[in-house]
Amino acid sequence: MTTPIPRDITVSGTNRSENMTRIEPPPPGPATTGGAALAGAAIVKDDYHPRLTNEDLAPLKNQKWSWYNIFAFWMSDVHSVGGYVTAGSLFALGLTSWQVLVALVVGIVIVNVFANLVAKPSQITGVPYPVICRASFGVLGANVPAVIRGLIAVAWYGIQTYLASHAFVVLGLKLWPSLAPYADVDQHGLLGLSYLGWAGFLAMWVLQALVFWRGMESIRKFIDFCGPAVYVVMLMLAIYLVSEAGWSNIGLSLGGVEHTGLAAVPVILGAIALVVSYFSGPMLNFGDFSRYGRSYAAVKRGNFLGLPLNFLFFSILTVVTASATLPVYGELITDPVETVAQMDSVFAVALGLLTFIVATIGINIVANFVSPAFDFSHVSPQKISWRMGGMIAAIGSVLITPWNLYNNPEVIHYTLETLGAFIGPLFGVLIADYYLVRKQRVIVDELFTMSPSGSYWYRRGTNPIAVAATIAGAFFAVVPVVLQGKPFGIDMWGMAGAAQYSWFIGVAVAGVVYTAASGRLRRAHEVPSTDAS
């Protein structure tokens, strides 16, 4: 079923009227050559400014995704090597099983609530994350959050591709042990990566690019398959290991209980923060996907199934599987790739590794490929198409040599964590603007105008309040992240503990600053506006 998007000038709730025409064929230019509407058929008005518009950024003509497609999106995000390790790590914090489950439930419910908040403005208007940011940052100032989110995605895209490529290396060595010398970077290596590592990395890179190149409809079909496929393999792996270990040797704790009473409270809170932080990236630009939802109710249903229910079940399945590795293999293995590699059957190893490869392709595309595609296209819509934006991210992920980043914890700490500290403030500004300042009213047409009298022109196209709030939030979020590393020998009490809450700090500071400084704008929206027809 396809639901057309009616439009009026002001979007408030779901009251809209038809007031747009689709330009067909799209105007010529680098952004539409060979890739028009790859992100979905768009509705464009003649007076939309070219500097702000292409068919990938304009409001969608149809919103077709059902609750299952949103559910599958979150399955793809959770069912990965990173999701497996993250979920397993929560059961190794020295807490009792019920305390971990409480942290899991609270953390994922927070994510579910925030995902619903981010989803609504993009689902209502049919525009991606960087475009909806024009309401708060200005039509030109929205490039600030777009570039920040794009750069973070490039870095993590490269790292996720590198980590997943390890499965290719393991599979290659399992099938052809004679390749072992080519897995040694000292014997056969280039730029810090072995020849076999390069082969695995490039194979992952090409496979991801092929899925992305075909557009959002192919991505939707791919992630619809990925999540369930991983569940099948995970269940098979768990059943095999439990049958080998015996139920009496399985527990929901991957370590001894070290924290009891009030001493466990900070650890539980830290576990909650870890869950929220894990989802902070895809949660920020979730509008890139919720815009395709056929209704806000469908998006919320998909979020509920894909987040609280799915994450809780996957986490329990993960800890059961990891717990069984100790009696079966004599050591605790929390990496699913290494767990599968321990099996004797070459077929089982190949099936398991290929499934995790497919799963990682799914999460990397939804979390770190689609986002920069929209973000970089937003910077120059007529020169950078959605497809080109994604390929810029893909090429950038190779140039940063992510294996060297990953092997240097200090670089990751001071680069990625610093950039990541901006995610919270960007979220805070977006939510404060849409819900607290504008009372859920967005003038869709004015998101695409360069007129100085436009609602989102502010000062030369940029809202200084949004930029200042982002900087303030990022400052208070990044300080503990940097100081926990004791730079220059400075050891400040509490920084290590505060660093794990950097996302929450950024959201709170930026949201409060933006709301407080936008008093005049907020008062203007307290009076119900009259929808223009």
Side-chain angles (χ1 to χ4, degrees):
M1 176 179 177
T2 298
T3 304
I5 304 179
R7 300 284 175 199
D8 67 5
I9 294 179
T10 303
V11 173
S12 178
T14 57
N15 177 31
R16 313 170 206 164
S17 61
E18 194 74 16
N19 194 34
M20 289 191 178
T21 56
R22 185 183 176 202
I23 298 174
E24 197 168 355
T32 59
T33 302
L38 278 171
I43 305 174
V44 185
K45 272 191 154 185
D46 293 332
D47 57 353
Y48 281 4
H49 199 285
R51 187 175 177 182
L52 303 175
T53 313
N54 62 28
E55 283 219 0
D56 300 317
L57 299 176
L60 288 171
K61 181 181 180 181
N62 299 302
Q63 294 169 297
K64 300 185 292 184
W65 286 27
S66 67
W67 63 266
Y68 175 78
N69 301 132
I70 301 297
F71 174 37
F73 164 85
W74 289 117
M75 279 199 290
S76 293
D77 192 60
V78 172
H79 302 175
S80 64
V81 175
Y84 185 103
V85 174
T86 299
S89 68
L90 295 173
F91 290 87
L93 293 175
L95 297 171
T96 62
S97 299
W98 73 266
Q99 289 172 331
V100 175
L101 291 176
V102 167
L104 278 172
V105 171
V106 173
I108 202 62
V109 167
I110 291 174
V111 172
N112 187 35
V113 171
F114 286 161
N116 286 341
L117 292 176
V118 172
K120 190 171 186 178
S122 285
Q123 194 283 321
I124 294 294
T125 60
V127 299
Y129 166 73
V131 175
I132 202 64
C133 281
R134 293 174 183 175
S136 53
F137 282 87
V139 292
L140 299 181
N143 283 324
V144 173
V147 170
I148 291 174
R149 180 66 183 98
L151 291 176
I152 294 172
V154 169
W156 281 115
Y157 178 83
I159 290 175
Q160 288 274 18
T161 301
Y162 164 65
L163 293 177
S165 69
H166 180 59
F168 273 117
V169 175
V170 171
L171 181 59
L173 292 176
K174 193 77 175 181
L175 296 175
W176 302 287
S178 60
L179 293 176
Y182 297 97
D184 187 343
V185 66
D186 294 325
Q187 294 186 52
H188 302 283
L190 177 66
L191 298 177
L193 188 64
S194 68
Y195 287 174
L196 193 57
W198 268 107
F201 182 84
L202 293 177
M204 277 294 298
W205 192 94
V206 170
L207 287 174
Q208 291 172 132
L210 287 175
V211 175
F212 171 82
W213 193 261
R214 296 178 61 84
M216 281 301 297
E217 184 60 19
S218 293
I219 291 174
R220 180 189 66 79
K221 294 176 180 178
F222 186 78
I223 62 177
D224 281 353
F225 163 78
C226 288
V230 174
Y231 257 142
V232 171
V233 173
M234 281 286 293
L235 285 170
M236 291 171 60
L237 181 62
I239 292 172
Y240 167 75
L241 290 174
V242 169
S243 65
E244 291 291 313
W247 269 112
S248 59
N249 295 316
I250 304 299
L252 291 181
S253 179
L254 300 182
V257 177
E258 301 174 3
H259 308 285
T260 58
L262 292 178
V265 173
V267 184
I268 294 174
L269 293 177
I272 293 172
L274 178 62
V275 172
V276 177
S277 297
Y278 176 78
F279 289 97
S280 63
M283 187 167 59
L284 175 65
N285 66 284
F286 181 52
D288 292 339
F289 296 89
S290 68
R291 70 186 294 231
Y292 297 97
R294 77 176 45 150
S295 70
Y296 182 51
V299 173
K300 289 194 295 182
R301 184 181 180 187
N303 285 349
F304 178 74
L305 294 173
L307 288 169
L309 295 185
N310 173 58
F311 186 66
L312 186 60
F313 180 74
F314 182 79
S315 297
I316 294 175
L317 186 61
T318 293
V319 71
V320 168
T321 303
S323 177
T325 61
L326 185 58
V328 174
Y329 299 123
E331 60 177 328
L332 180 64
I333 305 175
T334 58
D335 184 338
V337 173
E338 295 296 337
T339 300
V340 172
Q342 295 288 331
M343 302 178 73
D344 296 327
S345 170
V346 174
F347 173 77
V349 171
L351 177 63
L353 293 179
L354 288 175
T355 303
F356 281 117
I357 287 170
V358 169
T360 303
I361 291 175
I363 182 179
N364 226 6
I365 287 176
V366 301
N368 301 315
F369 215 149
V370 171
S371 171
F374 284 118
D375 294 334
F376 294 146
S377 177
H378 185 272
V379 174
S380 183
Q382 293 304 306
K383 294 181 179 179
I384 303 176
S385 66
W386 180 80
R387 176 184 279 173
M388 184 183 296
M391 296 314 297
I392 288 174
I395 293 171
S397 71
V398 179
L399 297 179
I400 64 174
T401 59
W403 46 90
N404 291 323
L405 278 178
Y406 188 75
N407 292 328
N408 191 334
E410 290 188 0
V411 173
I412 292 180
H413 172 72
Y414 288 110
T415 302
L416 298 182
E417 292 295 333
T418 300
L419 286 172
F422 282 87
I423 292 181
L426 294 176
F427 184 94
V429 170
L430 174 64
I431 298 304
D433 179 76
Y434 184 72
Y435 290 96
L436 301 181
V437 175
R438 301 188 182 281
K439 310 300 182 184
Q440 303 185 46
R441 293 183 176 90
V442 176
I443 306 174
V444 177
D445 287 352
E446 305 231 339
L447 293 172
F448 298 92
T449 179
M450 291 282 288
S451 171
S453 62
S455 299
Y456 310 122
W457 180 251
Y458 299 104
R459 296 181 185 176
R460 297 182 180 180
T462 300
N463 183 3
I465 294 176
V467 175
T470 301
I471 294 174
F475 174 79
F476 284 100
V478 81
V479 165
V481 170
V482 173
L483 292 184
Q484 71 167 337
K486 302 177 183 179
F488 310 109
I490 300 175
D491 186 5
M492 293 188 65
W493 178 85
M495 288 299 103
Q500 61 187 334
Y501 303 108
S502 62
W503 185 87
F504 293 93
I505 294 171
V507 170
V509 172
V512 169
V513 170
Y514 183 84
T515 303
S518 301
R520 185 173 63 179
L521 187 61
R522 187 173 68 255
R523 286 189 294 272
H525 283 81
E526 287 176 353
V527 180
S529 61
T530 301
D531 289 352
S533 58

